[in-house]
Amino acid sequence: MGPDRKEVPLSQGTQAVVVGKGRGAPGDGSSMGGRPSSPLDKQQRQHLRGQVDTLLRNFLPCYRGQLAASVLRQISRELGPQEPAGSQLLRSKKLPRVREHRGPLTQLRGHPPRWQPIFCVLRGDGRLEWFSHKEEYENGGHCLGSTALTGYTLLTSQREYLRLLDALCPESLGDHTQEEPDSLLEVPVSFPLFLQHPFRRHLCFSAATREAQHAWRLALQGGIRLQGTVLQRSQAPAARAFLDAVRLYRQHQGHFGDDDVTLGSDAEVLTAVLMREQLPALRAQTLPGLRGAGRARAWAWTELLDAVHAAVLAGASAGLCAFQPEKDELLASLEKTIRPDVDQLLRQRARVAGRLRTDIRGPLESCLRREVDPQLPRVVQTLLRTVEASLEAVRTLLAQGMDRLSHRLRQSPSGTRLRREVYSFGEMPWDLALMQTCYCEAERSRGRLGQLAAPFGFLGMQSLVFGAQDLAQQLMADAVATFLQLADQCLTTALNCDQAAQRLERVRGRVLKKFKSDSGLAQRRFIRGWGLCIFLPFMLSHLEPGCKKELPEFEGDVLAMGSQALTTEGIYEDVIRGCLLQRIDQELKKTLGANDVSCTLDGCLEVPWEQEGAAPNLNLVSSFLAGRQAFTDFLCLPAKSSANWILAASPLSCSCFRNGFHRDSPVFLVQLAEGLSHSMETVSSHSVWSFQPTPRQ
């Protein structure tokens, strides 16, 4: 446990913890459909608030220091030399999202629990809601429950889920009195969807058909990934600083290995950190006193965990919100103070790093040679196979999509099928069924890579797989955006269908060439970033007893610099990181046969995801830059067609087309043919080609 940390005395009153009664407030997540009265009494809730306050008191100073270091890193990258081989593809303006998915399911809910019909909705931001019936949803009524999907694991096997429940309370496996959760869960469910969370209630759903189960499985997995990687997708200084601060805070608690605790928002991450710290004591104090036996006791245990998790999450959210004004002011101040002196700070940092490198060279080289070098080739090769197979699947899908467009253009340049083909092409990055091929490739090496990385304390395989899947989706989105813009530039009304198809085929070649360049760069970044995640914490732990003794003699030089962006510990980690990256780059050159792998520390990607740091607005839809008359002519539409009439009559047509759309919209032909009133949110998984708005829109 950390400094000033006490165990949570939750043993009092837990004998009364059972699957609760009563209906919860709208918006509450619940395994049984409603939130029962909390199993925590007032004293226990106050104690948890104290635990959260202690966590924040110990964490925020580390966060402040990492904000300064992150701003310095950002400024030095802006002013430093750029990578010689930059991205060739255009950057898609569309932010990550999932398609809204909705439909009927049954859910184990109520008190006593029963399998009851509900209408379920997965929002575009990855939040799951469920309603009593479809009309309640369409009329804007309150949902029965909702939950953020962060941290959940989806199971579609009832037998596997029951084994998981049994593992929660193994000491009571021999006592299976048939209480409600037991008997209902053991009734065979044809097409189950079990959402399991280590600290929250489990959600038990069932679909009517195998097809519906498959569609929901893809949608839920997409939502889990989207909500889980919100911080990792961002390259904003504050997001990077937060992740570094969490890593350093946990290192100070003695935890050096990387795992999946950093999946989710900032408040969810801090909640997971505290829950993991308290879980052993919580189990020891409360589990023996829970009523029930077998799986009924497991249900009661998840009820208790959910109450603790909710209390901790509320406290963490409130604490981070209270810190937000200070953080904004600190970032503005750091920008003003660091930027004018950045050259001097970097020179001073380099001098201290050089002296420190000399002092720790012996044990550092010994650790690399004895511990890292024997395993590094296999780790690099496995990482390469993981990302290479996923991106090759992306290339195949991209080429097939471009070929379909050219083929359809030759066949029917003005038909409905062409419009649908263009729409489908633009939606490829967000089509979970289509992209599943790429995502499955990222999963294939999970077991092998996990075995290789586990001896180094790396347990973050879910984060790694999510990173590979996010990378595949981003590259597909960039390639689609590039193709649409290049097609817009080369297609004119003077071309006939064959000529236009030939132009598109040339564009296809250019896009695939750019994709090859970018995918190679992305592979190197992926391997370097995850190589650091696997080996760096292990090296820091291995070197800490001896090498950190050398740090106090450098404190005076670092303090004399007068900047909170530079610390002795930070420079020490940079030295180790730089030496490790040199080893990874050398192995990359052997594996890839590349001569352009950068060995500079500041020019490398130090985190696995390569995304812009925009605040995610997951319902944002970009539009396509095109001249109205040129494209309606190219579509062979008559002058008085409905598309021309809609564009002329629409109040959006003048302002939008005069100012120009973004070039990465997948709906430029659909908008022209169906009108600008259509929103991409109207397309649900129930009907890909349904262009009519839903009643709620």
Side-chain angles (χ1 to χ4, degrees), residues 175-462:
D175 186 7
H176 275 274
T177 55
Q178 290 298 306
E179 300 191 21
E180 290 291 348
D182 256 356
S183 58
L184 284 170
L185 283 170
E186 290 175 354
V187 173
V189 180
S190 298
F191 308 107
L193 296 158
F194 296 111
L195 285 167
Q196 178 267 338
H197 193 286
F199 311 124
R200 302 187 65 185
R201 289 182 178 90
H202 299 177
L203 301 171
C204 302
F205 301 104
S206 178
T209 65
R210 188 171 302 279
E211 292 73 18
Q213 181 196 44
H214 178 71
W216 274 107
R217 180 176 66 84
L218 295 181
L220 291 170
Q221 287 174 338
I224 291 170
R225 176 169 58 88
L226 179 70
Q227 291 222 326
T229 59
V230 61
L231 287 172
Q232 286 81 358
R233 289 194 308 269
S234 174
Q235 289 296 293
R240 171 63 186 272
F242 180 84
L243 293 173
D244 283 345
V246 170
R247 179 178 57 82
L248 291 175
Y249 169 82
R250 299 185 77 200
Q251 286 179 9
H252 294 160
Q253 315 304 308
H255 183 96
F256 281 85
D258 258 26
D259 52 27
D260 295 322
V261 75
T262 54
L263 291 175
S265 67
D266 50 2
E268 289 170 328
V269 168
L270 289 186
T271 299
V273 168
L274 184 56
M275 291 294 292
R276 292 196 183 201
E277 288 182 9
Q278 299 296 331
L279 190 59
L282 189 60
R283 286 185 66 92
Q285 293 174 20
T286 62
L287 205 54
L290 293 178
R291 282 185 177 179
R295 291 159 191 156
R297 174 179 285 193
W299 276 111
W301 171 242
T302 63
E303 292 281 331
L304 175 62
L305 281 179
D306 191 76
V308 175
H309 182 277
V312 174
L313 180 60
S317 298
L320 289 172
C321 285
F323 178 66
Q324 184 67 38
E326 178 187 341
K327 185 183 77 172
D328 293 339
E329 183 178 346
L330 179 60
L331 285 170
S333 173
L334 289 169
E335 171 73 20
K336 293 179 181 178
T337 56
I338 292 177
R339 188 172 290 275
D341 300 328
V342 65
D343 290 337
Q344 181 181 359
L345 289 174
L346 292 177
R347 285 195 298 269
Q348 293 172 331
R349 171 189 171 278
R351 282 197 296 269
V352 174
R355 291 172 50 206
L356 186 56
R357 188 181 299 109
T358 301
D359 283 4
I360 67 172
R361 177 174 296 167
L364 177 56
E365 283 296 323
S366 176
C367 178
L368 287 167
R369 186 171 56 256
R370 297 176 58 184
E371 306 292 344
V372 175
D373 288 350
Q375 296 297 326
L376 185 59
R378 281 180 285 183
V379 170
V380 167
Q381 290 166 12
T382 308
L383 284 170
L384 177 61
R385 283 196 297 269
T386 299
V387 66
E388 193 174 43
S390 181
L391 296 186
E392 181 58 31
V394 172
R395 185 196 180 282
T396 300
L397 291 176
L398 177 65
Q400 291 173 349
M402 293 186 291
D403 289 342
R404 282 195 301 269
L405 279 179
S406 297
H407 178 70
R408 186 61 58 195
L409 182 60
R410 293 181 188 274
Q411 283 190 336
S412 178
S414 60
T416 301
R417 296 187 66 179
L418 174 61
R419 295 195 297 270
R420 289 179 175 176
E421 204 69 65
V422 174
Y423 183 89
S424 178
F425 177 79
E427 279 287 282
M428 283 172 60
W430 326 116
D431 187 335
L432 291 172
L434 184 72
M435 293 292 292
Q436 192 63 19
T437 305
C438 314
Y439 298 159
C440 287
E441 291 294 344
E443 290 271 4
R444 292 189 192 280
S445 301
R446 178 197 287 263
R448 172 61 176 159
L449 191 55
Q451 291 175 353
L452 290 173
F456 298 94
F458 179 80
L459 301 174
M461 284 308 303
Q462 187 62 75

Side-chain angles (χ1 to χ4, degrees), residues 626-681:
R628 179 179 68 193
Q629 188 61 44
F631 270 104
T632 51
D633 289 346
F634 178 73
L635 283 169
C636 304
L637 295 172
K640 295 185 179 181
S641 72
S642 60
N644 278 311
W645 182 86
I646 291 173
L647 288 173
S650 169
L652 295 175
S653 62
C654 294
S655 60
C656 288
F657 279 91
R658 183 179 299 132
N659 295 332
F661 290 100
H662 293 300
R663 293 180 181 268
D664 61 348
S665 169
V667 293
F668 66 97
L669 292 180
V670 175
Q671 286 177 325
L672 290 171
E674 301 293 332
L676 288 172
S677 59
H678 169 61
S679 166
M680 283 192 356
E681 276 193 55

Side-chain angles (χ1 to χ4, degrees), residues 475-492:
L475 277 176
M476 176 66 88
D478 294 346
V480 166
T482 304
F483 178 85
L484 291 176
Q485 183 174 38
L486 293 178
D488 177 37
Q489 293 172 352
C490 75
L491 295 180
T492 69

